[in-house]
Amino acid sequence: MNKPVTLSLGQVVRILRGKGADQHAVIVSIEDSKYVKIADGHSIKFDQAKKKNILHLMPQSFISSEVVNSLQESGRVTNGKLRFAVSRFLSENPNADQKGE
């Protein structure tokens, strides 16, 4: 059986399906139990956040406190903070950008 996936704002995810497959992004909005909006600050800007099915994402254990704080304070986050969050995740997890499990 499928176990429920817990996702939260500011969490880094790996995109499994679609044009941006095998890239990392940050959750900037939770739409409902099936969809979230993601952005990476580079190819997917915050203003045009992409709506993704959670089944097409692999959640990572990293949650960016800077992104969470910014979203809670103003409801927005800068693209620079999103780029920083993704790059910090990749620098702390050097094997994260490899394909497969």
Side-chain angles (χ1 to χ4, degrees), residues 18-30:
K19 201 184 279 189
D22 295 320
Q23 294 180 355
H24 291 84
V26 180
I27 296 175
V28 295
S29 171
I30 297 175

Side-chain angles (χ1 to χ4, degrees), residues 71-84:
L71 286 169
Q72 288 175 345
E73 289 174 9
S74 64
R76 298 185 52 79
V77 65
T78 63
N79 291 314
K81 283 185 184 178
L82 294 171
R83 287 191 299 269
F84 178 74

